[in-house]
Amino acid sequence: MSGKCGMEEITTNNTLQQNENELNKLIKYIFSLLTSVKVPENFAANSNLFDDPDFKKLYDAIIALRELTSALAKGELQRYVIGKGYIISNLKALQSDLQHLTWQSKMVASGDFSQRVDFLGDFSKAFNEMTIKLQNSKKELVELATTDALTSVPNRLALSQFISKAFKISAEQDTPLSIVIFDIDFFKKVNDTYGHDSGDKVLVKVSELLNSQFRSNDIFSRYGGEEFMAVLNASNKENALKIAERAIKLVEKTEITLNTDTRIWVTVSAGISSRLPEDKTYEDIIKRSDIALYEAKTGGRNRVCTA
């Protein structure tokens, strides 16, 4: 009996040792699956563990993790990987977030700086700060491109953008549209007498005074040199005339300080025209306003004439 027990004990020990060896091989194989660049194949060829459904699930889950993490590392965001569970679900959520972020980045590249990210932690903060800075930079560039550097009123670029839209709406809806061209009287004499720095001060002050008389849905802009133009939405000639007359009277009675010892007064002339049914473009209105301005200048200045 003692001999038999001894043999059983040896057999048991051998079995335990064999199981321990198999377990060590299994651990090494799983570790290799998780850490090696390539999937080790030698274990699969010599193991019957693949017949075990639970091991097969574990193996498939690890392979799915390898495929998805590899795809994410390469930026292959469209790669679909079969698998589920806590870790792979989180990775798929990250994949989905990165896909959406890619789309948002394309939108930013196209000029849509309203995009914001709130699903990637610290990266979200950096992305949002970037888009806000780009948005502000774009706004500053637009302002620089459409603002007269001296008077800070809209320039001819902003004027042309505004008036083309205004004319189209006016023609389509058959609503009034009026244009006023202002010109500072004897401005060359101001420059010749007091210098160009003083002439600039006059331009700034006159533009400020004239601009104060128009509504927010109109545009008042520097047209060139000492000329300014106002485009009045939904205003007929009579209404535009009242506004223009009030504006030039304001200029006439305002003292302009050139320096501590010099104060002057200037006057402004204006020409007005409104859209006619036969007008093809806004240039037709401008031409008539320009003719009316010439009549105001030759008729004595400091007055408003209508076409």
Side-chain angles (χ1 to χ4, degrees), residues 47-48 58 78 91 99 129 135 171 198 227 239 243 250 259 264:
S47 176
N48 58 0
L58 174 62
Q78 304 302 322
L91 289 174
Q99 287 175 342
E129 288 177 352
Q135 191 172 35
S198 294
E227 284 191 337
N239 187 49
I243 296 173
L250 177 62
N259 52 57
I264 65 172

Side-chain angles (χ1 to χ4, degrees), residues 127-143:
F127 182 90
N128 294 338
E129 288 177 352
M130 177 193 72
T131 55
I132 290 171
K133 288 180 180 179
L134 287 172
Q135 191 172 35
N136 292 337
S137 296
K138 179 185 177 182
K139 183 179 179 181
E140 290 173 2
L141 288 173
V142 170
E143 288 178 355

Side-chain angles (χ1 to χ4, degrees), residues 26 29-34 38-45 47 49-67 81-83 88:
L26 176 61
Y29 180 67
I30 294 176
F31 186 75
S32 296
L33 282 177
L34 293 171
K38 294 183 179 180
V39 176
E41 299 178 355
N42 57 331
F43 182 84
S47 176
L49 282 172
F50 285 88
D51 296 331
D52 188 319
D54 290 332
F55 179 80
K56 187 66 169 59
K57 288 180 182 179
L58 174 62
Y59 177 83
D60 290 342
I62 295 175
I63 293 299
L65 286 173
R66 288 177 60 94
E67 290 181 4
V81 175
I82 298 175
I88 200 164

Side-chain angles (χ1 to χ4, degrees), residues 232-263:
L232 288 73
N233 277 310
S235 289
N236 56 28
K237 190 188 302 183
E238 290 73 25
N239 187 49
L241 177 61
K242 291 178 183 178
I243 296 173
E245 287 180 336
R246 185 173 66 234
I248 69 170
K249 286 179 180 178
L250 177 62
V251 174
E252 180 187 16
K253 68 181 183 180
T254 301
E255 181 183 75
I256 300 176
T257 301
L258 301 182
N259 52 57
T260 54
D261 300 320
T262 308
R263 294 171 178 79

